[in-house]
Amino acid sequence: MIHHYLINAVRRMGINALGVCAGFGRASWFLVQSLTWGKGFKAPFSRLVFQVYQLGVLSLPIILVSGLFVGMVLALQGYHILVGYGSQEAVGQMVALSILREFGPVVSALLFAGRAGSALTAEIGLMKTTEQLSAMEIMGVDPLKRIMAPRLWGGIICLPLLNLMFCVLGIYGGALVAVDMLGIYEGSYWANMQGAVEFYDDIVKGTIKSLVFALVVTWIAIFHGWNAHPTSQGISTATTATVVQASLAILALDFVLTAVMLGGF
Amino acid sequence: MDNYVELKNLTFRRDGRLIFDDISLQIPKGKITSILGPSGTGKTTLLGLITGQLSPQSGDVLVDGLSVPNLSREALFELRKKLSLLFQSGALFTDMSVFENVAFALREHTNLPEHMIRDLVLLRLENVGLRGAGQLMPSQLSGGMARRVALARSIILDPELIMYDEPFTGQDPVSKGVLVTLIRSLNAELSLTSVLVSHDVEEALSISDQVYVLSHGQVIASGTPQQLRDSDDTELKQFLFGLPDGPVSFHFPAKPLVEEVLV
């Protein structure tokens, strides 16, 4: 009896492992196909611009408001910690480094996954459910090039730009609290920041993180839409999976990228 | 070559369920061929196999002499430019107007100037009686109108083969009559080969040159509409004349009612 259960457990593990490998294989093939525009497809630039508007411009309100509040909270928390050491003048550099290195790329990517990622999955899932993708295939138009590629590239372009805007608003939010509310000298807020922030180590590396998150989040979002069961529950499940998996991927990749960039391993 | 589509000893399983068991059939060029059968017999699946969206486990699907399961992705998309499928749902692009839906394939596959695209689209919309509806969005159309727009879209590139998936389902008698007339007239005027998948027996038989009836993964009857009407086959009669019980059981397989209810 126990022998029978063990065999079954191993069998189930094998089936699940094969399923995961097959899923990764399909997702990788999907990514490679979607990254290339393909020859003969019309007006790729106008489609890309439209997606930049849909994914980027329409995400601006949530990104800008969040950036502002994250910066304000960081300044408030940082001030109350630093004041104990008499180092409250360093709040500017603390806010800037925290936002440029971590909060900017990670929080903007999490917000992007929730706002744009879920919308992408739902849109593509609904197109699948209403047979619009099949109709396109039958007309000899490859949906991977026509639908997926502009969205994937739109996401890759938008998120790093949204991250930079998040960082700018965060730093200004920090100044609003530190300088205008808590009375830190404006010169030291900006001068300490200028002295501490390195263009390559902080801004470029933060942007690289954001670029990686953009690829992964958009890939997960469009793949789940493409792979959704063509039912209302299927779309709901796919949308949830996008937000959960993209968020976990962002946090896990953030650790890996930070470790690599700091050279800690 | 007299046949535009040939299915040769085709076997197809999905999720462990046998859909087609070694079936063969031929769709002759320039004719209207109907594939009939009860719901769930895989009629729509058959269209998926012809268009290469599904691959059989064994056997072959020849379309215009090409083996569809063995085509590369690029070659398959090239072949599909000659095919067209009218989906049961219409499958119109919901973010485009009626005009843009019909113009879609022209814009994707040709470099025609805008005025020529406009003229071609208007001509096709005129064919289906909807020239005045060009600026409407799909959400503003009735079911019958949506089906006609989808029909105009599916013939815009002058396909060689057009497949209709349950074109009469959910249509009122007037819309059904319009669709029957359109299918017949388009087939003649554009020299198309047409495949009609349906369980609306009367409408399908009235316009078909040849009919196949599928059931339990097999072709149970084929011939002209008159040959089918004259057949003595009990399963075929049950389907053609809509008898509630017969070889195709009314009840889904289950334990005897007494065992299930009184225990």
Side-chain angles (χ1 to χ4, degrees):
Chain A
M1 195 60 148
I2 293 170
H3 173 75
H4 178 72
Y5 278 122
L6 275 174
I7 293 283
N8 261 349
V10 171
R11 187 172 152 266
R12 272 199 302 275
M13 273 171 59
I15 289 172
N16 288 339
L18 281 176
V20 169
C21 288
F24 267 111
R26 279 190 306 126
S28 304
W29 174 85
F30 174 86
L31 177 67
V32 171
Q33 291 290 325
S34 303
L35 274 171
T36 51
W37 286 93
K39 57 175 187 283
F41 286 90
K42 303 291 177 60
F45 185 70
S46 64
R47 275 178 214 146
L48 184 64
V49 169
F50 182 71
Q51 288 309 320
V52 168
Y53 174 78
Q54 289 285 321
L55 302 174
V57 177
L58 295 183
S59 298
L60 269 178
I62 190 172
I63 291 286
L64 297 182
V65 173
S66 304
L68 189 71
F69 281 113
V70 167
M72 288 166 75
V73 169
L74 270 178
L76 202 55
Q77 290 277 14
Y79 176 83
H80 283 287
I81 294 169
L82 292 171
V83 81
Y85 303 97
S87 313
Q88 63 270 30
E89 300 298 319
V91 73
Q93 81 188 65
M94 193 217 74
V95 167
L97 291 178
S98 310
I99 288 184
L100 287 169
R101 289 183 181 181
E102 286 302 324
F103 282 96
V106 172
V107 178
S108 63
L110 289 172
L111 293 170
F112 185 79
R115 218 263 357 153
S118 58
L120 277 177
T121 305
E123 182 195 17
I124 295 167
L126 199 62
M127 288 178 85
K128 183 179 181 182
T129 306
T130 52
E131 296 182 307
Q132 294 179 50
L133 297 180
S134 292
M136 217 170 263
E137 279 189 343
I138 300 297
M139 284 189 260
V141 177
D142 189 345
L144 295 181
K145 316 292 182 197
R146 177 67 170 71
I147 300 293
M148 308 303 162
R151 283 160 178 77
L152 186 61
W153 281 107
I156 291 171
I157 291 169
C158 285
L159 185 51
L161 295 174
L162 290 171
N163 166 47
L164 290 176
M165 290 181 213
F166 182 99
C167 293
V168 169
L169 261 287
I171 289 167
Y172 269 103
L176 208 64
V177 169
V179 176
D180 297 338
M181 281 172 60
L182 301 171
I184 300 283
Y185 176 55
E186 192 175 5
S188 58
Y189 182 88
W190 295 110
N192 281 340
M193 189 186 299
Q194 203 174 3
V197 172
E198 296 287 336
F199 178 73
Y200 177 73
D201 279 340
D202 302 318
I203 297 172
V204 172
K205 283 182 176 174
T207 308
I208 291 171
K209 270 188 184 181
S210 192
L211 205 60
V212 174
F213 296 157
L215 173 70
V216 172
V217 170
T218 320
W219 176 25
I220 288 173
I222 59 175
F223 181 68
H224 275 302
W226 172 259
N227 214 31
H229 281 286
T231 60
S232 49
Q233 195 184 357
I235 295 175
S236 151
T237 308
T239 311
T240 309
T242 289
V243 176
V244 171
Q245 289 179 14
S247 303
L248 292 176
I250 290 163
L251 296 171
L253 276 171
D254 183 47
F255 172 73
V256 174
L257 290 171
T258 305
V260 170
M261 286 173 178
L262 291 177
F265 288 95
Chain B
M1 190 177 59
D2 295 331
N3 296 321
Y4 196 83
V5 179
E6 281 186 68
L7 271 60
K8 291 182 172 175
N9 307 106
L10 187 117
T11 298
F12 179 72
R13 284 186 193 82
R14 185 153 51 188
D15 301 329
R17 187 175 152 235
L18 187 65
I19 312 286
F20 297 121
D21 183 12
D22 194 29
I23 66 164
S24 297
L25 55 86
Q26 296 82 37
I27 312 286
K29 263 186 181 170
K31 306 282 186 194
I32 300 178
T33 302
S34 284
I35 315 280
L36 304 180
S39 297
T41 45
K43 302 186 296 295
T44 303
T45 305
L46 191 73
L47 299 184
L49 288 160
I50 293 173
T51 56
Q53 289 178 300
L54 300 169
S55 290
Q57 274 76 32
S58 66
D60 204 358
V61 182
L62 297 177
V63 176
D64 198 20
L66 299 170
S67 170
V68 174
N70 297 314
L71 289 178
S72 68
R73 191 170 167 81
E74 287 73 24
L76 187 59
F77 276 99
E78 207 49 44
L79 173 68
R80 283 176 182 164
K81 290 178 189 172
K82 296 193 277 187
L83 315 181
S84 190
L85 173 61
L86 182 72
F87 286 84
Q88 190 174 347
S89 62
L92 296 177
F93 303 128
T94 46
D95 58 341
M96 295 181 194
S97 67
V98 164
F99 183 95
E100 287 304 321
N101 261 282
V102 180
F104 180 82
L106 281 177
R107 294 200 196 285
E108 292 294 327
H109 294 308
T110 70
N111 290 314
L112 293 174
E114 193 55 36
H115 68 89
M116 205 173 275
I117 289 179
R118 180 180 169 278
D119 292 349
L120 286 169
V121 171
L122 290 180
L123 283 173
R124 286 302 177 228
L125 284 173
E126 175 74 12
N127 284 144
V128 298
L130 291 173
R131 186 164 46 82
Q135 296 316 309
L136 297 181
M137 294 302 284
S139 59
Q140 297 172 289
L141 304 174
S142 69
M145 286 167 80
R147 207 72 59 94
R148 281 149 69 192
V149 173
L151 184 54
R153 184 179 70 175
S154 61
I155 55 172
I156 192 73
L157 282 181
D158 292 335
E160 294 174 10
L161 171 72
I162 183 163
M163 293 160 278
Y164 302 89
D165 186 7
E166 303 282 8
F168 311 115
T169 303
Q171 301 294 306
D172 61 53
V174 177
S175 300
K176 273 188 190 178
V178 169
L179 283 168
V180 165
T181 310
L182 278 173
I183 292 169
R184 190 189 287 133
S185 60
L186 287 174
N187 199 74
E189 287 165 17
L190 304 177
S191 306
L192 297 168
T193 300
S194 301
V195 179
L196 181 70
V197 155
S198 181
H199 51 224
D200 290 276
V201 176
E202 271 316 305
E203 285 78 10
L205 293 187
S206 70
I207 49 173
S208 301
D209 299 300
Q210 179 184 262
V211 181
Y212 285 93
V213 182
L214 301 180
S215 184
H216 304 302
Q218 300 277 349
V219 175
I220 59 163
S222 64
T224 64
Q226 195 53 49
Q227 284 171 332
L228 262 61
R229 283 196 180 98
D230 296 341
S231 169
D232 290 329
D233 185 280
T234 48
E235 190 172 355
L236 181 62
K237 278 191 158 182
Q238 185 194 359
F239 176 70
L240 290 184
F241 301 111
L243 306 175
D245 220 343
V248 177
S249 175
F250 170 69
H251 291 285
F252 193 80
K255 281 195 280 186
L257 182 66
V258 175
E259 265 183 44
E260 196 143 24
V261 175
L262 298 181
V263 175

